Amino acid sequence: MVSVDVQGSSNALIQVRSLEKTYHRGSEELHVLQRLDLDVEAGDFVAFMGPSGSGKSTLLNLLGGLDTPTSGSIKVAGDEITRLSAGELTQWRARHVGFVFQMYNLIPVLTAYQNVELPLLLTSLSRSERRRHVEAAMALVGVADRMQHYPGQLSGGQGQRVGIARALVADPTFLLCDEPTGDLDRKSADEIMDLITRLSEEQGKTVLLVTHDPLAAQRAGAVLHLEKGVLVEAAIARTAG
Amino acid sequence: MKSLPLLLANLRRKKVRTTLTVGSFAVALFLYGILAVVRGAFSQGVDVAGVDRLVIINKVSLIQPLPVSYQERLRRIPGVKDVTYASWFGGVYQDERNFFPIFGIDMNTYRSVFPEFAISEDQWKAFLEDREGAVVGEGLVERFGWKLGDRIPIKGTIFPGTWEFNIRAIYKGAQLQTDVTQFWFRGDMLEERKPFQKGMVGWYTVRTTSPDESVSVAKAIDEMFSNSQWETKTETEKSFAASFVKQMGNIEFLILTIGGVVFFTLLLVTGNTMAIAVRERVRELAVLKAIGYSNSSVLFLVLMESLVIAALGGGAGLLLAKLFTLRGDPTGGLLPFFYLPPQAIISGLALALGIGAIAGITPAISAMRLRVVDALRRV
């Protein structure tokens, strides 16, 4: 269950304590995140909403180990990631985080299969094991028949499915989805949200979603609103209590 | 090499650009190969010069002769093992384009001083027995389709008239670089028939008892003939060959200058190409880093791309140069040793890879230092 404003330690999968991120623009200090506390349990599906500049993406970058906070701590499955070196953080990301981007960010010169295989190239899996994992991930997201297609030959929805397969293939601890439906029409957006919801509900994946789309956010178990770097409202919806 | 598909896919991404960059390497390395061949052709004499041989010429210039009587006096100098002489004949076969060196030689001593010219005993004996006999290199035999027993007319350019010779022996080179395009005939026949310069020869070659004796023997020779009518200048064969090459201009400098300009331009072209390639792929590189590719993996990917381009282009250029040299000397005899040696191919490949590495390193470092968050924000 998602908890905000929590203190002390807990058994949550993701524990965020007193998290702050400040940018300096000349002499001006920009407090993007201010003393943020948050617990996310394994299997939670959490959506972050808020206006542009509210700190959603910054929070997602910090949770994904792409950026480092000004102060505070982030523990994921017991690892204090704010203390990791850049190299350690890279390895940590490969093991624990599956990124789903708004623009899919597929490599255009690789086939869908090769794109999904990319995270597995960092593992010690054999070629045949990698093939098994890639085929399973692509089947799970419904693009098994598009393996040899290049990103340019896929529709937006198919491209995002391949992006999700790439995020899933190495079986990460949690998925970070940054506006995954932002570039899609309504129908495709709904299909993608159906897929993400299914991954959460049926596969037990922990999902952190940043979105502007209220319909997408509705699918989450919990919706957290950020405003000027502060969690101002926690709407606990549907399954979460 | 799990990233090979990505590496190859990146090379195929902009086919025209990759082809042009590979082509630049190919052209540059082809030129390098040809320059190496030309340099080798000019310095061939220097490379194969005997360490225990001294060349004695007239102090005034190479074209001034020396008395034949010097041979016995040279032989008596301590440290001298053998002495031979030769005279430049300066003739042409059929056509002035058919240039090759023609010497009148001292047939009694020439072979022992120049053992690198391999001749069978029976052919050499036939040469000694025929006053109009000639020994020709296998290069000339191949070029003109000659065979033993052929009668070859040579039109004299220094000594007038048409001189006819019978091919009695064909020599092979003991080393790859040995010049196999020479034509020798008997010095006693030249002495008998030439209308002027009687009792004179072109130059002497001395073989010393040991290479360590060369300096002292050379000094003794020049001292012996100082203040005479025909003073001498004695050098080691290597130094003589090097100064002979220098008479044609500073070939080494010319080749280095041309090569330097070409390779510097290539460096700029490739560096620019790689910088553009990385700039175009900032988001993709950021994604790779986001999903767990380390800084060194990203550096390796970009650097390898540059190195593969260099290796492909360099290899193609050197292969073309090699194929070009297989057709033989295209100058009709000016560069008899027209050969691209394996060392030049290896150093050419190393040079190409070096340029590929230098051109790729800056873009590779910038890719490595890319901040994922900033790069993903870029559109």
Side-chain angles (χ1 to χ4, degrees):
Chain A
M1 188 178 74
V2 178
S3 312
V4 295
D5 296 332
V6 283
Q7 303 294 317
S9 66
S10 70
N11 291 323
L13 177 71
I14 302 171
Q15 295 175 47
V16 178
R17 296 291 181 271
S18 305
L19 192 68
E20 293 197 344
K21 181 70 182 177
T22 305
Y23 290 112
H24 296 270
R25 194 183 293 159
S27 58
E28 188 188 357
E29 282 196 339
L30 217 63
H31 299 284
V32 180
L33 291 176
Q34 301 181 51
R35 296 196 65 78
L36 197 136
D37 299 299
L38 174 69
D39 272 4
V40 177
E41 301 282 352
D44 279 350
F45 181 0
V46 185
F48 296 95
M49 293 195 74
S52 295
S54 60
K56 307 183 298 294
S57 292
T58 302
L59 177 60
L60 214 64
N61 290 336
L62 293 173
L63 293 175
L66 294 177
D67 204 354
T68 49
T70 308
S71 65
S73 90
I74 302 169
K75 264 190 188 170
V76 178
D79 295 330
E80 175 55 68
I81 67 168
T82 56
R83 291 196 197 129
L84 298 178
S85 68
E88 289 168 334
L89 207 51
T90 302
Q91 287 180 4
W92 176 85
R93 280 199 303 270
R95 276 201 317 275
H96 293 285
V97 191
F99 288 96
V100 180
F101 303 97
Q102 179 182 352
M103 305 300 292
Y104 335 135
N105 286 341
L106 301 174
I107 311 281
V109 289
L110 297 181
T111 61
Y113 178 93
Q114 289 171 321
N115 267 285
V116 176
E117 192 187 23
L118 279 174
L120 298 181
L121 298 179
L122 301 166
T123 67
S124 57
L125 292 177
S126 68
R127 193 186 176 90
S128 60
E129 286 171 322
R130 292 201 303 271
R131 171 163 283 281
R132 199 158 44 78
H133 280 78
V134 172
E135 286 173 351
M138 294 190 78
L140 185 66
V141 301
V143 284
D145 57 340
R146 293 287 184 270
M147 286 189 191
Q148 297 312 316
H149 287 62
Y150 286 90
Q153 299 168 323
L154 300 172
S155 68
Q158 288 168 340
Q160 191 56 293
R161 283 170 189 270
V162 174
I164 293 171
R166 181 179 63 189
L168 280 174
V169 74
D171 193 22
T173 307
F174 62 101
L175 291 181
L176 281 183
C177 309
D178 190 1
E179 307 236 26
T181 58
D183 194 47
L184 300 174
D185 58 50
R186 186 72 260 160
K187 184 170 174 289
S188 300
D190 287 342
E191 286 171 0
I192 290 299
M193 286 316 301
D194 285 345
L195 173 61
I196 293 173
T197 308
R198 196 153 49 83
L199 290 172
S200 168
E201 291 177 352
E202 294 175 11
Q203 306 288 323
K205 285 286 165 203
T206 305
V207 180
L208 304 181
L209 168 77
V210 161
T211 183
H212 278 109
D213 179 3
L215 291 175
Q218 272 180 11
R219 310 290 192 102
V223 182
L224 305 180
H225 286 266
L226 270 157
E227 207 160 292
K228 292 182 180 170
V230 179
L231 280 170
V232 292
E233 184 190 348
I236 310 301
R238 292 203 303 140
T239 54
Chain B
M1 191 57 193
K2 290 177 184 172
S3 298
L4 188 64
L6 181 57
L7 183 69
L8 296 177
N10 279 332
L11 287 170
R12 288 196 300 265
R13 181 186 297 252
K14 302 271 184 187
K15 290 190 184 74
V16 173
R17 186 166 69 197
T18 302
T19 307
L20 289 176
T21 315
V22 168
S24 307
F25 267 98
V27 170
L29 267 293
F30 175 75
L31 181 67
Y32 165 87
I34 297 303
L35 289 177
V37 169
V38 172
R39 182 188 166 278
F42 275 102
S43 62
Q44 162 215 13
V46 182
D47 294 340
V48 296
V51 286
D52 59 348
R53 284 199 295 247
L54 299 173
V55 177
I56 300 135
I57 61 169
N58 190 305
K59 194 176 179 181
V60 176
S61 90
L62 175 62
I63 59 168
Q64 298 299 317
L66 290 169
V68 71
S69 59
Y70 277 15
Q71 187 170 23
E72 279 313 307
R73 295 174 68 186
L74 286 167
R75 208 187 299 278
R76 287 198 295 269
I77 293 174
V80 171
K81 191 175 168 189
D82 245 321
V83 185
T84 193
Y85 64 79
S87 300
W88 184 261
F89 180 71
V92 294
Y93 171 64
Q94 291 177 336
D95 191 305
E96 283 181 4
R97 284 173 299 181
N98 294 335
F99 170 83
F100 47 84
I102 305 173
F103 309 138
I105 62 163
D106 176 13
M107 73 271 193
N108 298 318
T109 52
Y110 205 73
R111 234 177 137 203
S112 60
V113 175
F114 295 99
E116 66 265 37
F117 299 113
I119 307 167
S120 72
E121 284 305 325
D122 53 335
Q123 287 186 15
W124 182 254
K125 195 159 169 273
F127 168 64
L128 294 181
E129 286 170 358
D130 184 353
R131 203 162 175 75
E132 293 184 340
V135 179
V136 297
E138 61 178 351
L140 291 180
V141 169
E142 196 177 311
R143 184 173 163 199
F144 298 116
W146 292 341
K147 57 185 186 303
L148 287 174
D150 280 359
R151 193 156 173 84
I152 308 298
I154 301 288
K155 190 180 171 195
T157 53
I158 298 173
F159 305 109
T162 298
W163 299 53
E164 295 198 353
F165 303 98
N166 305 312
I167 297 181
R168 295 299 176 206
I170 296 168
Y171 75 80
K172 294 179 193 301
Q175 298 173 41
L176 192 63
Q177 296 101 317
T178 304
D179 182 1
V180 287
T181 65
Q182 295 180 15
F183 185 109
W184 312 331
F185 65 96
R186 291 173 54 152
D188 56 349
M189 188 263 231
L190 176 64
E191 178 63 24
E192 179 188 301
R193 295 193 188 171
K194 66 185 177 184
F196 51 90
Q197 287 188 356
K198 292 278 187 187
M200 305 297 279
V201 297
W203 63 91
Y204 286 96
T205 305
V206 157
R207 200 164 176 193
T208 58
T209 48
S210 149
D212 301 336
E213 305 274 350
S214 296
V215 175
S216 59
V217 171
K219 198 175 167 202
I221 292 170
D222 289 343
E223 277 174 2
M224 175 178 273
F225 300 113
S226 66
N227 297 318
S228 71
Q229 192 177 346
W230 296 282
E231 289 189 312
T232 58
K233 183 184 170 192
T234 307
E235 293 176 283
T236 60
E237 193 177 44
K238 205 177 236 338
S239 139
F240 172 76
S243 56
F244 193 74
V245 169
K246 271 188 185 162
Q247 285 178 2
M248 297 179 212
N250 196 337
I251 304 292
E252 189 89 19
F253 175 75
L254 198 67
I255 287 172
L256 282 176
T257 307
I258 297 170
V261 169
V262 169
F263 282 109
F264 182 68
T265 311
L266 183 65
L267 183 66
L268 297 183
V269 168
T270 316
N272 187 44
T273 303
M274 290 311 298
I276 292 171
V278 167
R279 213 161 37 241
E280 285 172 351
R281 282 179 228 159
V282 162
R283 269 184 94 88
E284 291 170 29
L285 293 167
V287 170
L288 289 179
K289 292 178 87 169
I291 64 177
Y293 279 72
S294 63
N295 285 340
S296 54
S297 305
V298 172
L299 178 104
F300 176 77
L301 260 180
V302 176
L303 202 54
M304 275 308 289
E305 194 174 327
S306 183
L307 288 173
V308 168
I309 287 174
L312 285 176
L318 289 167
L319 179 68
L320 285 175
K322 183 71 189 170
L323 292 175
F324 186 73
T325 59
L326 290 180
R327 294 167 51 207
D329 175 17
T331 63
L334 282 176
L335 303 170
F337 180 66
F338 202 75
Y339 172 73
L340 182 62
Q343 304 95 294
I345 295 175
I346 292 167
S347 54
L349 266 182
L351 187 63
L353 289 175
I355 288 180
I358 295 170
I361 194 70
T362 307
I365 288 174
S366 72
M368 183 184 83
R369 289 183 177 161
L370 204 66
R371 282 195 78 233
V372 180
V373 175
D374 296 337
L376 286 176
R377 232 180 260 143
R378 294 187 207 173
V379 179

